Amino acid sequence: MTYPSPTDSIIVPLDVPTPLQALALLDQLPQVNFWKVGLELFISSGGEILKILQEREKRIFLDLKLHDIPNTMAGATGAAKLYEVDFLTVHASAGQGALKAAVEAVGPSSQLQLLAVTLLTSISNRQLAFELRVPLELPEYVLQMAVLAKDAGVPGAVCSPQEASELRRVCGEDFLLVCPGVRPSWAQAKDQRRVMTPREALEAGANYLVIGRPITQAENPVEAWERVVAEVQ
Ligand code: C5P
């Protein structure tokens, strides 16, 4: 496994509703090399925001959490390649057939790497048991979904830093782990639960960290970015 440089290992989410606000954030933080585009911004701006990031030679994490039939998964994944996206999320629960179709659409020599979402962090143990009727404890289910994705050829997963060491142990050194739910010791946790600091998350086995509000909503975002980079160096 080749580990990214400290600057490249931190992904900042463009969690804003419009392309104009996204541009303002890009201008405010030119030091950031890796940006995450989620459903809200993608739906409001379409491919425009991806073109902007591509023109600025930024790395792109397209967090669309695809969950569909194999044919559609393959088509959507192929389309993401046109924007030179680096990471694209798919739900592991779409099943082996859909995951394999997406992996095949990516092909062997693309820069695009698929990441499996094992279970939404908004789902509790209770919901898993009583709404989704899954007869497994939550950590066991998360692990099962990661193994399913890995067996289908998906090269990595998004997971909470708390799950990173177990996924690293079972899925091996070459499996990519991208972790949100990371908070520098000086930042407030806000609505994130069970957080780890950037250093702890990397030590637990994460390759990439998604850190949003502690940077984007800091009084001085550039200074906050520099403090996070210094911490992971
Ligand atoms: O601001 P904050 O650092 O909490 O942002 C974390 C980012 O990671 C947000 O874009 C959030 O939607 C995303 N995310 C998460 N937990 C997951 C998956 C994605 O917080 N399990």
Side-chain angles (χ1 to χ4, degrees), residues 61-85:
F61 175 1
L62 186 55
D63 190 15
L64 298 185
K65 301 186 176 70
L66 302 177
H67 188 282
D68 219 310
I69 59 170
N71 191 49
T72 307
M73 291 282 257
T77 309
K81 274 169 72 177
L82 301 177
Y83 293 107
E84 293 172 24
V85 166

Side-chain angles (χ1 to χ4, degrees), residues 11-15 36 38 61 63 65 117 119-122 158-160 178-183 189-192 210-217:
I11 302 171
V12 180
L14 272 170
D15 282 339
K36 180 168 90 74
F61 175 1
D63 190 15
K65 301 186 176 70
V117 175
L119 180 70
L120 294 173
T121 42
S122 53
V158 181
C159 66
S160 121
V178 179
C179 296
V182 177
R183 286 289 175 268
K190 296 243 168 106
D191 54 357
Q192 293 280 14
V210 180
I211 308 179
R213 289 162 292 176
I215 296 171
T216 56
Q217 291 181 16

Side-chain angles (χ1 to χ4, degrees), residues 55-181:
E55 277 160 18
R56 295 185 179 208
E57 297 183 350
K58 302 295 182 187
R59 300 189 72 197
I60 306 170
F61 175 1
L62 186 55
D63 190 15
L64 298 185
K65 301 186 176 70
L66 302 177
H67 188 282
D68 219 310
I69 59 170
N71 191 49
T72 307
M73 291 282 257
T77 309
K81 274 169 72 177
L82 301 177
Y83 293 107
E84 293 172 24
V85 166
D86 294 278
F87 290 155
L88 173 68
T89 43
V90 293
H91 273 284
S93 59
Q96 275 262 324
L99 295 174
K100 280 187 175 162
V103 168
E104 260 173 47
V106 171
S109 56
S110 169
Q111 73 173 37
L112 172 60
Q113 290 186 292
L114 295 172
L115 297 174
V117 175
T118 50
L119 180 70
L120 294 173
T121 42
S122 53
I123 303 284
S124 66
N125 221 332
R126 216 186 134 68
Q127 280 177 298
L128 191 67
F130 296 105
E131 287 177 21
L132 306 181
R133 302 273 168 186
V134 172
L136 293 175
E137 287 297 310
L138 197 145
E140 222 182 315
Y141 178 76
V142 166
L143 194 60
Q144 184 167 312
M145 289 297 108
V147 171
L148 174 83
K150 186 175 187 289
D151 289 349
V154 175
V158 181
C159 66
S160 121
Q162 258 72 23
E163 293 149 4
S165 59
E166 184 63 0
L167 262 59
R168 171 66 63 230
R169 189 183 67 76
V170 176
C171 297
E173 280 303 305
D174 288 339
F175 198 63
L176 273 175
L177 296 177
V178 179
C179 296

